[in-house]
Amino acid sequence: MPRIHTLDFIRGLAILGILLLNIIAFGLPHAAYLNPAWHGQPSLHDAWSWALVSLFAQIKFLALFALLFGAGLQMLLPRGKRWLQARLTWLVLFGFIHSILLWDGDILLDYGLIGLVVWRMIRDVGSSRQLFNTGVLLYIIGSCTLLVLGMASGHQANRSWLPDFAEVQFETFWKTRGGWEAIINRLDLFSSGLISLAVQYGWQLAGLMMIGAALMRSGWLRGTFSQVHYRRTALMLIGTAWLIQIPGIYLQWITGWDFRWAGFFLQLPPELGAPLQAVGYAALCFGYWPTLSRLKITHAISCVGRMALTNYLLQTAICTTLFNRLGWFSQLDRLQLLAVVPVVWLINILFSVLWLRYFHQGPMEWLWRKLTVLGGGQPLEKSPS
């Protein structure tokens, strides 16, 4: 099956966009990821940086990547059970190594674990509409779990929202020191992440993958609809997503990011708006593809998308070096961290373009494919992913 170049471009956008979120997790304590007031009221430029990232990027690019992952599972179904199981099992192992040895913000293991469950559902659900509706239901269930958690949490902020000075110092210590102390703490965060995956995030991830598979099966993610359709869809979905999210962002700000509200209840609007906006972003790419496809930057970002796994891990290598090894951790504010992002993007783009001049796949994609074959999968002549 030939590659769908628009999907390579969208996947590249997703990988680059995810760094807008992850840079906060790389450069600041865990509490800062969702709470700009983790160490007191933020400066005005920090608050605006948080608000703009929340509106344009928070959850959106992760949702977009999950949609594409589900679309990829749909495309890989003809390879059979053994190929898919081997491929996803290796992804789980990559994620485990990544999360324990390098960075506690890993998503590879989550995608692999949920993928091992979801691919069977994608295979067995008969119609695209039923698959889409099931995905929507699962996503809503996962999102609404926030309401239950909010009601059960009480009013007192926990350490993950408002850490004290000693906790920030300890987190800085083990992240910058590394070694066994860092591994122990990453293992602790890993176990908490598995609980979160089971309680909430896994439901959302499964739903997004099923929605992506349904959109692929229906032809929507193959670009078979008209440009007018995609442009109208983008306008409608992104506009609706903003109407849902902007009040939530405003309320978080005026309540001073109070734990009870901003930690749970006001996280629901961005959770609900993110899939709409993610699909809207994809629709923009399809709707304007004749123009985009002629641009050199589009080719460069498509190269990033073809090497998605390699580039995701490359971002970890660059950022852990800067923040953990060179001591930049907790030294920059939100706006300064966002200024680092274009530099990492440039490295991603240059490396991808140069590598693909000489090789058909990225290095990690090549390794993943070889291990999948060793694990029992039967290779085909050409791969769509």
Side-chain angles (χ1 to χ4, degrees):
M1 183 183 295
R3 300 193 70 91
I4 303 174
H5 297 295
T6 314
L7 292 188
D8 287 335
F9 175 69
I10 297 171
R11 190 181 298 109
L13 286 178
I15 286 294
L16 297 177
I18 285 171
L19 186 60
L20 291 168
L21 322 175
N22 286 349
I23 197 68
I24 305 302
F26 280 120
L28 291 173
H30 283 107
Y33 188 74
L34 291 177
N35 181 18
W38 63 277
H39 63 327
Q41 287 301 303
S43 64
L44 186 60
H45 69 260
D46 248 21
W48 273 108
S49 299
W50 165 84
L52 291 174
V53 169
S54 295
L55 181 60
F56 291 102
Q58 185 74 32
I59 314 174
K60 287 76 176 177
F61 290 109
L62 286 169
L64 183 58
F65 196 75
L67 291 167
L68 296 178
F69 194 89
L73 292 178
Q74 172 66 36
M75 296 173 73
L76 290 171
L77 285 179
R79 291 181 178 270
K81 174 181 177 180
R82 292 181 65 187
W83 174 276
L84 279 163
Q85 287 184 331
R87 182 175 176 84
L88 293 168
T89 298
W90 279 111
L91 187 63
V92 170
L93 291 175
F94 289 157
F96 179 77
I97 294 169
H98 181 230
S99 63
I100 300 304
L101 298 184
L102 296 174
W103 185 50
D104 46 88
D106 170 76
I107 61 170
L108 301 178
L109 184 137
D110 295 345
Y111 279 67
L113 285 177
I114 299 302
L116 283 168
V117 176
V118 167
W119 80 263
R120 294 177 175 84
M121 301 170 70
I122 294 172
R123 178 195 62 188
D124 296 337
V125 174
S127 70
S128 298
R129 181 178 294 275
Q130 185 181 1
L131 186 61
F132 183 88
N133 291 340
T134 304
V136 170
L137 178 62
L138 290 177
Y139 188 86
I140 290 174
I141 290 173
S143 299
C144 290
T145 303
L146 286 169
L147 300 178
V148 178
L149 294 173
M151 289 185 286
S153 66
H155 295 276
Q156 187 65 36
N158 56 36
R159 292 182 301 173
S160 65
W161 192 258
L162 285 177
D164 60 30
F165 178 77
E167 289 159 349
V168 172
Q169 289 295 100
F170 179 64
E171 184 176 346
T172 302
F173 166 77
W174 67 259
K175 283 189 172 180
T176 55
R177 181 182 178 88
W180 185 244
E181 188 71 42
I183 291 175
I184 292 174
N185 281 277
R186 290 196 196 103
L187 281 169
D188 183 54
L189 292 169
F190 174 77
S191 61
S192 300
L194 288 179
I195 295 172
S196 175
L197 187 68
V199 172
Q200 184 215 1
Y201 183 53
W203 295 82
Q204 295 175 304
L205 198 53
L208 290 168
M209 289 181 187
M210 295 181 75
I211 293 170
L215 293 174
M216 175 58 69
R217 187 186 293 183
S218 69
W220 197 90
L221 278 175
R222 297 180 188 273
T224 58
F225 291 70
S226 70
Q227 290 179 43
V228 172
H229 163 83
Y230 286 114
R231 292 174 185 180
R232 287 177 177 172
T233 300
L235 180 62
M236 178 184 67
L237 292 181
I238 294 175
T240 303
W242 286 356
L243 287 175
I244 294 171
Q245 294 170 88
I246 289 174
I249 293 171
Y250 173 73
L251 288 172
Q252 287 192 64
W253 190 324
I254 66 169
T255 58
W257 295 275
D258 177 73
F259 171 68
R260 179 67 186 277
W261 296 103
F264 292 100
F265 299 123
L266 294 178
Q267 292 300 321
L268 188 58
E271 297 282 352
L272 294 178
L276 302 177
Q277 197 161 333
V279 176
Y281 285 165
L284 278 178
C285 296
F286 280 109
Y288 291 94
W289 185 246
T291 300
L292 289 171
S293 62
R294 294 193 293 267
L295 303 177
K296 291 183 178 180
I297 188 63
T298 299
H299 169 72
I301 293 174
S302 297
C303 289
V304 174
R306 288 177 58 186
M307 294 172 49
L309 178 59
T310 296
N311 279 298
Y312 176 73
L313 295 175
L314 179 59
Q315 289 176 358
T316 294
I318 296 168
C319 292
T320 53
T321 299
L322 291 175
F323 297 107
N324 296 354
R325 303 284 77 82
L326 298 182
W328 288 17
F329 183 77
S330 211
Q331 298 300 307
L332 305 178
D333 62 25
R334 271 182 139 76
L335 186 60
Q336 292 168 332
L337 287 171
L338 290 175
V340 175
V341 170
V343 178
V344 182
W345 283 351
L346 183 61
I347 296 171
N348 279 141
I349 289 171
L350 291 176
F351 178 72
S352 301
V353 171
L354 291 172
W355 184 274
L356 290 176
R357 284 183 181 176
Y358 302 99
F359 303 99
H360 177 66
Q361 292 178 301
M364 286 304 301
E365 286 72 20
W366 175 86
L367 177 62
W368 191 12
R369 181 183 176 86
K370 291 297 181 183
L371 291 173
T372 298
V373 173
L374 290 175
Q378 296 300 315
L380 299 178
E381 288 298 317
K382 291 187 177 181
S383 170
S385 65

